[in-house]
């Protein structure tokens, strides 16, 4: 049975977990403070975790502050979650070589399995990972690179102990508590962690940790904490019934938001579920080889809807409509659920401080 | 298909035929005998063609599926890749991945009148259907080809149309919104011409390809005249990068044109045809 009741792990013993993972050949990846934000990157040990750091977020606003708290995960999120670990911003799909005879050769890079353990993944981002899995793996064609990277992931989730003002995962049904998709799951308390496993490989590791029985008070405190996070969320995305947002394309609010939107595409770059990308060739100077790359793209970019002699979406309004109607509406037809997991990043990182939830609610509200 | 979905197969240029100003047909053969042996396609499907060092573009297959050993693509040079492809000579190699997408419902059209309507500068997907049907004329009651252009000077394959018209059981109707001297055909909108076509709409399968506004006008006109909406198919076009439903570029509402299309039954796409920006 891989799902266990929670046990208690002292904060200073978290490093033991990291060591065990390294011992099993995992490269560690975890949150840390960089350039005034929380980013997931290679993690040496728990000393690098963002101890005592909390974020304040508002549309167009993100700040970190240091507090006198022993906690490592007392923040909501940073600009990017774990999407780049499975779907990197740029990668080489294959390389072409041309011999003097004119013959071509196509070389696919080795997709060797790399074991990566991610420490401290939040509920909204695990939900986003499940959506990316649906898109890249459960389709007619599987993405080979994504598959190799995904298979190598060991996921240590952490239930949120604090929501940013931009968070609305309660209304999308994706948080703040993590229910699935993890190997190990943490609840962070003042004195340490509750820990439980969600997979066989998680259970194996759990058995090697110096654990104590969790006290009823600790279990209670963890539950209270998650409920408190849920209650504290101020934003609520109203449900969008499939097809309804598409039918609201005449709503005047689109003109209003299009007036403010810069079409910079930041919202799409930080969104953990966005999957658009384009392909391009990079010819080496010698002329003997050419790298065929793929790179994240955005429905806000000029080239996204460009055809020979025809631009599908020439106005900012049309691009904003594409972004929002796809994410909240047609996504449901494609993947059986909305493409938004309530992380709030598209608001915090919008230079025009556009409030995605407020805009959507205004448009769907007058239905 | 290759083992790696994104890596092209090698294909040799057998011939590069100049069709008209800016239009050429590349005859390709997969270089690897194993790839050649397993390759199959249907009219209306497309390949991604790769030009070394430049990139990939989606191009319809216009040759006959009976002989997948020779793969023809009729291409208009408009930009970086297509202009480069235009210059290739026999013996050169390109990359090819495919075939992708849902083609025309050729089997559904059996024992029916076939009505093919195309607008603009020659539309490769319907050329595939026309070529397919002409080779199997006995399967179809009649084959009717309707082509509309903006200006009569835009008609590029006049000789081709004349050759088709000369065949028994085949009728060709041509229209130009504006015509210059020496245009013996209809002057006016393509929809006006549809009234002259003598197919039995109760027993017709229609295939339409062209700009979206034209497809919508043609479709609604045919429905009004009594064609059933499920006997009407359109071929759609969008920017394509991956061809397998991953890159998001060809989205049209909830559909990915590359895998759910490019050919759609009209009722499945009707609500989106006239929505600007979709
Ligand atoms: C399913 C499908 C089948 C097609 N079949 C044919 C065919 O049989 N014959 C033919 O001549 N053309 C066909 N096209 C159109 C052809 O793919 C584009 O004209 C071609 O991609 C332009 O590439 P380029 O590099 O030469 O032009 P570019 O230098 O890239 O630019 C020229 C213009 O084409 C646009 N464009 C770029 N990439 C694409 C793309 N992938 N899809 C559409 N437009 C693009 C550019 O944005 C620009 O406006 C088809 C398109 C689709 C989607
Ligand atoms: S909504 Fe904001 S982040 Fe998104 S494109 Fe517009 S200005 Fe940029
Ligand atoms: S749409 Fe905005 S809030 Fe929803 S998942 Fe994407 S970035 Fe997060
Ligand atoms: S071409 Fe990439 S999704 Fe259709």
């Amino acid at each position: 049975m891989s799902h266990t009741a929670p046990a208690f792990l002292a904060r200073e013993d978290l490093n033991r977990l990291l060591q065990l993972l390294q011992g099993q050949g995992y490269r560690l990846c975890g949150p840390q403070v960089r350039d005034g934000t929380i980013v997931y990157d290679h993690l040496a040990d728990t000393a690098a975790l963002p101890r005592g750091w909390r974020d304040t977020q508002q549309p167009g606003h993100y700040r970190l502050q240091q507090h006198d708290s022993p906690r490592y995960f007392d923040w909501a999120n940073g600009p990017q979650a774990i999407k780049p670990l499975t779907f990197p911003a740029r990668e080489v799909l294959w390389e072409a070589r041309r011999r003097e005879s004119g013959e071509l050769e196509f070389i696919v890079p080795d997709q060797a399995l790399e074991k990566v353990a991610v420490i401290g993944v939040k509920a909204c981002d695990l939900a986003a990972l499940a959506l990316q899995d649906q898109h890249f793996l459960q389709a007619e064609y599987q993405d080979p690179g994504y598959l190799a990277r995904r298979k190598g992931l060991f996921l240590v989730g952490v239930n949120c102990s604090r929501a940013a003002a931009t968070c609305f995962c309660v209304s999308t049904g994706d948080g703040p508590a993590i229910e699935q998709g993890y190997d190990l799951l943490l609840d962070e308390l003042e004195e340490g962690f509750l820990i439980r496993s969600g997979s066989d490989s998680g259970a194996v590791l759990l058995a090697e940790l110096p654990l104590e029985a969790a006290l009823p008070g600790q279990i209670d405190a963890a539950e209270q904490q998650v409920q408190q996070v849920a209650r504290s969320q101020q934003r609520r995305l109203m449900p969008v019934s499939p097809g309804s947002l598409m039918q609201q394309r005449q709503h005047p609010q689109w003109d209003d938001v299009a007036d403010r939107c810069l079409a910079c595409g930041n919202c799409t770059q930080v969104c953990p579920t966005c999957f658009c990308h384009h392909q391009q060739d990079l010819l080496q100077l010698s002329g003997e080889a050419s790298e065929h790359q793929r790179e994240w793209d955005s429905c806000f970019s000029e080239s996204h809807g460009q055809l020979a002699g025809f631009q599908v979406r020439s106005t900012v309004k049309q691009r904003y409509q594409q972004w929002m109607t796809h994410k909240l509406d047609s996504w449901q037809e494609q993947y059986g659920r909305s493409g938004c997991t309530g992380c709030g990043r598209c608001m915090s990182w919008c230079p025009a401080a556009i409030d995605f939830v407020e805009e959507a609610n205004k448009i769907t509200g007058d239905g | 298909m290759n083992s790696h979905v994104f890596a092209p197969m090698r294909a040799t240029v057998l011939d590069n035929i100049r069709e008209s100003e800016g239009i050429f047909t590349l005859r390709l053969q997969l270089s690897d005998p194993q790839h050649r042996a397993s390759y199959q396609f249907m009219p209306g499907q497309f390949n991604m063609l790769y030009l070394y060092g430049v990139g990939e573009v989606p191009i319809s297959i216009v040759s006959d599926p009976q002989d997948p050993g020779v793969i023809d693509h009729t291409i208009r040079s408009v930009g970086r890749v297509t202009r480069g492809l235009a210059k290739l000579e026999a013996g050169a190699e390109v990359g090819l991945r495919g075939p992708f997408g849902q083609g025309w419902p050729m089997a559904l059209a059996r024992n029916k009148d076939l009505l093919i309507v195309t607008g603009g500068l020659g539309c490769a997907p319907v050329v595939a259907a026309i070529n397919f049907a002409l080779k199997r004329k006995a399967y179809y009651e009649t084959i009717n080809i309707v082509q509309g252009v903006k200006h009569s000077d835009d008609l590029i394959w006049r000789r081709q149309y004349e050759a088709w018209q000369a065949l028994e059981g085949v009728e060709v109707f041509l229209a130009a919104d504006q015509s210059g001297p020496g245009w013996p055909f209809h002057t006016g909108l393509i929809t006006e011409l549809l009234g002259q076509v003598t197919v039995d709409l109760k027993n017709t399968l229609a295939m339409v390809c062209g700009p979206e506004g034209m497809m919508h006008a043609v479709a609604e006109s045919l429905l009004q005249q009594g064609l059933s909406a499920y006997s009407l198919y359109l071929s759609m076009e969008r920017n394509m990068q991956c061809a397998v439903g991953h890159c998001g570029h060809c989205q049209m509402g909830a559909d990915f044109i590359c895998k759910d299309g490019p050919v759609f039954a009209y009722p499945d796409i009707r609500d989106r045809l006239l929505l600007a920006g979709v």
Side-chain angles (χ1 to χ4, degrees):
Chain A
M1 168 72 199
S2 51
H3 286 261
T4 50
F8 181 77
L9 179 74
R11 182 165 280 108
E12 50 283 13
D13 288 332
L14 186 64
N15 233 347
R16 184 78 198 110
L17 170 62
L18 305 194
Q19 287 161 359
L20 284 174
L21 283 164
Q22 278 172 321
Q24 291 200 352
Y26 284 100
R27 182 167 69 83
L28 298 181
C29 181
Q32 44 218 290
V33 174
R34 187 160 310 155
D35 300 330
T37 67
I38 304 271
V39 297
Y40 286 77
D41 202 350
H42 177 70
L43 186 73
D45 53 35
T46 50
L49 289 171
R51 182 184 176 109
W53 288 96
R54 288 179 196 157
D55 48 0
T56 30
Q57 302 192 44
Q58 286 292 346
H61 172 97
Y62 184 98
R63 291 284 181 285
L64 284 183
Q65 282 115 17
Q66 176 80 75
H67 289 256
D68 183 23
S69 160
R71 292 178 183 241
Y72 293 140
F73 304 104
D74 213 17
W75 38 271
N77 57 40
Q80 217 107 74
I82 57 172
K83 182 168 88 171
L85 292 178
T86 43
F87 175 33
R90 183 179 292 125
E91 77 183 290
V92 175
L93 289 180
W94 41 267
E95 188 186 281
R97 288 176 179 276
R98 186 164 64 179
R99 301 211 191 95
E100 250 171 60
S101 62
E103 251 177 54
L104 297 181
E105 186 186 0
F106 296 102
I107 303 151
V108 178
D110 209 9
Q111 296 292 359
L113 192 83
E114 199 205 353
K115 291 169 79 179
V116 178
V118 198
I119 315 300
V121 191
K122 304 290 183 114
C124 54
D125 293 335
L126 274 181
L129 181 67
L131 271 170
Q132 292 253 314
D133 285 353
Q134 247 185 304
H135 180 72
F136 285 114
L137 300 182
Q138 292 152 34
E140 188 179 348
Y141 295 95
Q142 284 196 330
D143 187 285
Y146 185 97
L147 180 66
R149 290 181 290 260
R150 180 66 178 92
K151 270 190 178 161
L153 283 190
F154 184 96
L155 297 162
V156 182
V158 61
N159 284 328
C160 281
S161 52
R162 185 175 298 276
T166 40
C167 292
F168 57 101
C169 62
V170 173
S171 59
T172 65
D174 296 303
I178 294 174
E179 266 144 30
Q180 55 195 4
Y182 59 87
D183 295 293
L184 286 174
L185 176 60
L186 304 172
D187 280 281
E188 188 170 34
L189 304 171
E190 284 299 301
E191 66 272 28
F193 300 96
L194 292 188
I195 185 166
R196 70 194 100 177
S197 69
S199 71
D200 292 342
S201 42
V204 168
L205 272 169
L206 204 60
E208 293 190 45
L209 284 171
L211 301 178
E212 292 164 33
L215 303 173
Q218 291 171 329
I219 294 177
D220 211 39
E223 261 164 35
Q224 292 290 332
Q225 182 164 282
V226 176
Q227 281 172 22
Q228 167 55 29
V229 175
R231 274 196 303 277
S232 74
Q233 288 189 7
Q234 298 144 21
R235 279 186 169 73
R236 190 176 171 280
L237 181 70
M238 294 193 336
V240 175
S241 53
S244 64
L245 201 52
M246 283 297 258
Q247 281 158 21
Q248 288 289 349
R249 293 173 70 84
Q250 301 306 319
H251 197 288
Q253 189 61 27
W254 295 113
D255 294 307
D256 188 86
V257 68
D259 262 355
R260 288 171 280 135
C261 173
L262 310 166
C264 67
N266 266 19
C267 47
T268 59
Q269 300 293 292
V270 297
C271 181
T273 68
C274 274
F275 51 69
C276 279
H277 57 268
H278 60 201
Q279 300 186 6
Q280 63 195 19
D281 257 67
L282 212 69
L283 188 63
Q284 282 173 14
L285 280 179
S286 68
E288 280 161 14
S290 186
E291 268 184 5
H292 193 77
Q293 306 182 331
R294 78 165 169 202
E295 192 176 54
W296 288 359
D297 199 356
S298 165
C299 51
F300 284 97
S301 75
E302 290 283 335
S303 55
H304 193 279
Q306 186 70 50
L307 296 166
F310 178 57
Q311 168 59 261
V312 179
R313 289 176 280 276
S314 54
T315 66
V316 174
K317 176 178 164 182
Q318 289 169 343
R319 292 181 197 176
Y320 195 88
Q321 284 188 327
Q322 169 69 13
W323 149 243
M324 187 181 271
T325 56
H326 180 226
K327 188 113 310 195
L328 299 181
D329 188 345
S330 37
W331 201 294
Q332 299 188 51
E333 208 177 306
Q334 291 172 332
Y335 305 98
R337 60 153 295 174
S338 137
C340 175
T341 67
C343 73
R345 291 186 177 92
C346 55
M347 297 184 271
S348 300
W349 301 96
C350 172
I354 288 170
D355 185 326
F356 186 71
V357 176
E358 187 182 308
E359 301 300 332
N361 287 349
K362 275 187 183 159
I363 296 164
T364 53
D366 299 5
Chain B
M1 198 66 213
N2 230 353
S3 54
H4 185 290
V5 43
F6 298 121
M9 299 178 278
R10 291 158 49 220
T12 310
V13 176
L14 298 179
D15 201 357
N16 184 346
I17 305 153
R18 193 189 136 100
E19 304 282 0
S20 69
E21 190 60 47
I23 298 198
F24 60 101
T25 297
L26 271 192
R27 313 207 86 181
L28 300 176
Q29 179 170 61
L30 291 171
S31 310
D32 179 331
Q34 250 175 329
H35 289 156
R36 215 180 304 153
S38 61
Y39 190 84
Q40 287 184 326
F41 66 90
M42 281 301 288
Q45 285 194 299
F46 65 95
N47 285 323
M48 296 300 287
L49 294 189
Y50 169 73
L51 177 68
Y52 176 75
V54 188
E56 280 187 323
V57 291
I59 302 287
S60 304
I61 311 165
V62 293
S63 50
D64 200 88
Q66 195 89 63
D67 178 15
V70 179
I71 308 167
D72 288 353
H73 295 96
T74 297
I75 307 170
R76 186 155 59 99
S77 18
V78 291
R80 292 182 334 119
V81 176
T82 49
R83 281 200 197 113
L85 292 173
K87 292 191 197 118
L88 294 179
E89 291 173 8
E93 276 196 338
V94 295
L96 183 153
R97 52 187 186 106
F100 294 116
Q102 316 295 325
W104 299 107
M106 299 311 302
L108 269 185
R110 276 203 184 191
N111 302 322
K112 292 186 176 169
D113 286 333
L114 188 56
L115 175 60
I116 291 171
V117 188
T118 139
L121 293 162
C123 204
V126 297
V127 173
I130 293 171
N131 287 343
F132 183 92
L134 290 178
K135 275 212 166 169
R136 298 160 182 78
K137 264 179 40 221
Y139 292 165
Y140 310 100
E141 294 294 319
T142 62
I143 298 169
N144 300 265
I145 302 163
V146 183
Q147 159 88 52
V149 284
K150 268 213 187 92
H151 194 276
S152 52
D153 293 347
D154 297 339
L155 187 72
I156 41 182
W157 279 320
R158 189 150 165 185
R159 252 195 242 131
Q160 176 76 80
Y161 287 107
E162 281 165 1
W164 286 338
Q165 171 71 68
L167 299 173
E168 208 192 300
V170 180
E171 286 223 61
V172 175
F173 303 84
L174 301 171
D177 297 356
Q178 298 171 332
S179 58
W183 179 254
F185 312 107
H186 182 73
T187 300
L189 296 176
I190 190 169
T191 41
E192 296 162 11
L193 205 54
L194 291 175
Q196 300 176 21
V197 180
T198 55
V199 295
D200 171 13
L201 282 178
K202 291 271 164 293
N203 189 41
T204 292
L205 193 124
M207 302 176 178
V208 187
C209 176
E212 281 165 36
M214 166 266 175
M215 288 202 279
H216 181 265
V218 166
E220 292 299 323
S221 161
L222 287 174
L223 295 195
Q224 229 171 22
Q225 290 173 50
L227 186 75
S228 119
Y230 275 107
S231 296
L232 181 57
Y233 288 81
L234 312 184
S235 181
M236 307 299 301
E237 188 178 337
R238 282 290 177 273
N239 188 312
M240 288 185 183
Q241 304 283 311
C242 71
V244 296
H246 288 185
C247 77
H249 279 76
C250 72
Q251 279 189 68
M252 193 182 193
D255 286 314
F256 294 106
I257 304 285
C258 63
K259 67 182 178 93
D260 303 315
V263 173
F264 290 92
Y266 187 54
D268 297 339
I269 201 88
R270 184 181 199 169
D271 59 338
R272 274 163 267 168
L273 262 192
L274 283 187
L275 290 183
V278 171

